[in-house]
Amino acid sequence: MTILITGGTVVSATGSGRADVLVDGETIAAVFSPGSAAFGPVSADTVIDASGKYVIPGGVDGHTHMEMPFGGTQASDTFETGTRAAAWGGTTTIVDFVVQAQGQHVQDQVALWHEKAAGNCAIDYAFHQIIGDVNADALKAMDELIGDGITSFKLFMAYPGVFLSSDGQILQAMQTAAGNGGLIMMHAENGSAIDVLVQQALERGETAPYYHGTTRPWQTEQEATHRAIMLADLAGAPLYVVHVSAKQALERIAEARDAGQNVFGETCPQYLYLSLEENLGAPGFEGAKWVCSTPLRARADGHQDELWKYIRTGDVTTVSTDHCPFCMKDQKDMGVGNFAKIPNGIGSVEHRMDLLYQGVADGRISLERWVDVCCTTPARMFGMYGQKGVISPGADADIVVYDPNGHTSIGVGKTHHMNMDYSAWEGWEIDGHVDVVLSRGAVVKDESGYIGTKGHGRFVRRGLSQNLI
Ligand code: DUC
Ligand code: ZN
Ligand code: ZN
C-alpha cells in the first residue's frame, strides 16, 4: 500500500519547502521536489492533496498519564480513549508514565502498564518510569529497564508519603542514571514546604480552588529546580525538569544550560495560556477544572510571556501536555470545601498541536520552532529520533497534514474527544486545523473524522537520549 502526499509544504525543525512525500507501507519511502526529473511521474495507491497545507511529522507528546491512579481516583482517559483523542489532534506518539509508588515493585508496575496499553492504543506509545520509592530493588530495575526501551526515570520532590524522594534518594537515582545513560526527569516542587502552606491556608478557611495556586508559590518551584540542578551536577546526570510553570525556575534552567550543564525544561500549553487569576480564580468551584501541579501562575507577574520567550531561546526544550484528565463529577468534586482533595491534572492531549500552532499564528514562535518543540525534539530527547519526529526516508510514516487556513473550535460538543465531562479549553478558537493524520502509514484521521483502529498502536522501545549537549 503506497500513499503520495502531494502539493504541500513540508515543515521540519530546521526549515520548510515544497515537497511531495511517498509512503510505502509503514514507513516513508521518499521526500522529493514536486516534478523532480530524477523521479519521473510517481504513482501511488492513494493520493492526498496537501496543496496550501503544511506537512509535518506526527506530534510526540512526551508526558501523559492514561488511567493513572492518583489522588484517590484514576485519570479518566484509558489508553484507548486517550490515544484516540491524541490522534484526532495530530499526535502520533505518546510517552506515558509507569507508576511505582511507595511499597511497589518497579518491574511489576512495568508489566501492569504493558497490560493496560497493549492492544488498546490508536497510535504508538512508549513509557517513562516513575520511581516513587528509591531503594536497592528500584535502582537495579533502572539498569534493567534501559535494555527494555524505558530509558527515562521521573522522580518527585513533591507529594510526601506518596512519591516524594529525599535528596539522598534523588542523588542515588541520579548516580544510577549517570552510570547507565538514562535521563532523570524531575517534578520540581518543594513538597514539604507546600504541605505546611496548604495546612495553614485550610486553617484560615481558604478552601477554594484558587488556593491550590497560592499554596504552591513560585519560590517552591524555583527552590526545588535549583536543588535538582545542583544534585544532577554533583551526580553528573542529565536532568529534564517537567511541567515548568514559574519563570524563576526557567531562569535557573537557563543559567545551568549557559554553564554547559545537560539541563532541559519542559512546559505545557496550560502554562503558556492560562492563569491563576482567570482560571484557578474562576467563580465558585469552577477553578477546580484547572487544578494541576505545578499550578497555573499569575498573569500579573508575566510568567506566560516569559515562557513563550524561553521557547524561542531554546531553554524550554519541549512542550508536552502532562495529560492527566479528571471529570468534574465524582472526581474533581471530591475537593469541594477543600482544594487539597481535588485530583491534580488537566487533559490536553488532543489540543497541544493546535494550541501551539496558535502561537505561530499569533507571531510568538516560528513554524519550525512549532515542529521542533512538539515533534522533533521530544523524539530526540527521548531516544526515538529517526523513527519518530522527522519526515525522512526510513522514518515511520507518522505524518500530519495541517491546514493554516482552516479553523478549530475547541469545546464539549465541538472538538473534544477526551473522556472528560468538561474541556479545560472550552471556547478556544484556533486559526488552523488538523486535516489528515497518518500513524505508521495508516490514515487514522481524515476530513470524515477518526478512522483508526484500537490496537494499531505499538510499544516503542526507546534508545538513550539523542539530545544531550
Ligand atoms: N501533576 C499533575 O497535575 N497531575 C499528575 C501528576 C503531576 O505531577
Ligand atoms: Zn509531575
Ligand atoms: Zn505528569
Side-chain angles (χ1 to χ4, degrees):
M1 174 76 179
T2 52
I3 299 175
L4 180 66
I5 304 172
T6 181
T9 297
V10 173
V11 183
S12 77
T14 52
S16 317
R18 291 286 301 278
D20 288 358
V21 181
L22 182 65
V23 172
D24 188 359
E26 296 196 348
T27 57
I28 294 169
V31 184
F32 55 98
S33 298
S36 155
F39 281 86
V42 175
S43 60
D45 301 318
T46 306
V47 174
I48 296 172
D49 180 8
S51 303
K53 299 177 184 169
Y54 298 133
V55 179
I56 64 169
V60 178
D61 190 339
H63 189 153
T64 70
H65 301 283
M66 305 302 171
E67 19 191 315
M68 181 201 192
F70 192 56
T73 181
Q74 177 160 309
S76 58
D77 263 319
T78 61
F79 277 92
E80 181 183 353
T81 63
T83 58
R84 193 166 59 212
W88 270 99
T91 284
T92 52
T93 308
I94 60 163
V95 193
D96 204 83
F97 286 81
V98 177
V99 178
Q100 180 229 16
Q102 287 174 11
Q104 294 176 332
H105 286 290
V106 170
Q107 291 288 15
D108 293 349
Q109 297 302 108
V110 173
L112 184 61
W113 251 254
H114 274 297
E115 235 172 77
K116 290 180 196 220
N120 289 318
C121 293
I123 54 159
D124 287 352
Y125 61 97
F127 293 145
H128 306 291
Q129 177 67 50
I130 286 176
I131 307 283
D133 196 354
V134 178
N135 54 37
D137 184 53
L139 294 172
K140 183 165 152 276
M142 284 173 69
D143 285 338
E144 293 161 358
L145 290 183
I146 295 279
D148 297 335
I150 300 176
T151 57
S152 38
F153 307 96
K154 183 181 178 191
L155 304 171
F156 285 79
M157 301 169 102
Y159 304 121
V162 188
F163 292 131
L164 181 141
S165 291
S166 69
D167 291 349
Q169 288 175 311
I170 289 170
L171 183 62
Q172 280 181 298
M174 285 177 167
Q175 287 170 334
T176 302
N180 67 25
L183 177 68
I184 294 292
M185 308 173 78
M186 188 61 76
H187 180 123
E189 288 187 295
N190 184 322
S192 315
I194 287 168
D195 271 10
V196 170
L197 295 174
V198 167
Q199 215 37 54
Q200 291 170 344
L202 291 173
E203 281 163 15
R204 287 193 297 270
E206 296 171 354
T207 60
Y210 177 76
Y211 298 104
H212 171 78
T214 59
T215 54
R216 307 180 91 92
W218 62 263
Q219 291 91 338
T220 60
E221 187 181 348
Q222 190 191 39
E223 184 279 326
T225 302
H226 176 71
R227 191 161 25 109
I229 289 170
M230 289 294 107
L231 292 170
D233 194 33
L234 189 57
L239 174 71
Y240 175 97
V241 186
V242 296
H243 50 54
V244 181
S245 64
K247 64 181 182 184
Q248 295 88 348
L250 266 162
E251 278 164 21
R252 288 285 187 269
I253 290 169
E255 274 169 27
R257 289 172 60 78
D258 289 348
Q261 201 178 332
N262 263 311
V263 173
F264 306 89
E266 168 199 270
T267 195
C268 311
Q270 54 269 32
Y271 306 125
L272 292 166
Y273 286 111
L274 310 179
S275 73
L276 172 71
E277 304 93 319
E278 295 142 318
N279 300 93
L280 272 175
F285 190 65
E286 280 293 284
K289 292 175 176 172
W290 298 283
V291 164
C292 60
S293 296
T294 60
L296 304 185
R297 301 284 174 200
R299 197 177 299 283
D301 294 340
H303 294 279
Q304 295 77 5
D305 285 344
E306 282 293 291
L307 261 52
W308 281 108
K309 180 195 84 182
Y310 282 118
I311 293 182
R312 291 193 295 276
T313 62
D315 293 306
V316 165
T317 301
T318 60
V319 180
S320 307
T321 54
D322 195 7
H323 179 77
C324 191
F326 297 101
C327 293
M328 284 295 271
K329 186 171 169 332
D330 297 337
Q331 295 197 296
K332 292 276 188 184
D333 63 9
M334 295 192 299
V336 172
N338 181 349
F339 69 84
K341 296 199 169 139
I342 300 169
N344 288 197
I346 289 184
S348 305
V349 77
E350 184 173 352
H351 304 310
R352 183 183 62 122
M353 297 302 293
D354 280 324
L355 288 164
L356 268 289
Y357 180 73
Q358 191 58 41
V360 177
D362 293 343
R364 288 183 176 273
I365 54 172
S366 70
L367 203 50
E368 289 78 13
R369 195 78 186 112
W370 171 52
V371 168
D372 195 8
V373 294
C374 289
C375 315
T376 306
T377 298
R380 279 160 51 83
M381 193 74 237
F382 301 124
M384 294 181 280
Y385 183 76
Q387 181 184 355
K388 304 293 185 191
V390 64
I391 295 186
S392 120
D396 282 355
D398 291 357
I399 300 172
V400 174
V401 177
Y402 198 85
D403 184 0
N405 298 308
H407 188 84
T408 305
S409 296
I410 302 180
V412 176
K414 295 182 275 185
T415 307
H416 178 88
H417 302 91
M418 300 171 289
N419 186 33
M420 301 168 69
D421 61 2
Y422 76 98
S423 170
W425 301 96
E426 188 69 45
W428 281 70
E429 302 290 337
I430 305 293
D431 297 320
H433 187 257
V434 174
D435 277 8
V436 182
V437 181
L438 274 73
S439 164
R440 283 193 350 269
V443 177
V444 293
K445 193 257 171 202
D446 66 11
E447 283 302 283
S448 69
Y450 174 75
I451 53 169
T453 47
K454 171 179 162 170
H456 165 81
R458 282 195 208 135
F459 177 65
V460 181
R461 290 168 70 95
R462 297 185 291 114
L464 300 181
S465 176
Q466 300 149 302
N467 199 44
L468 304 188
I469 50 180

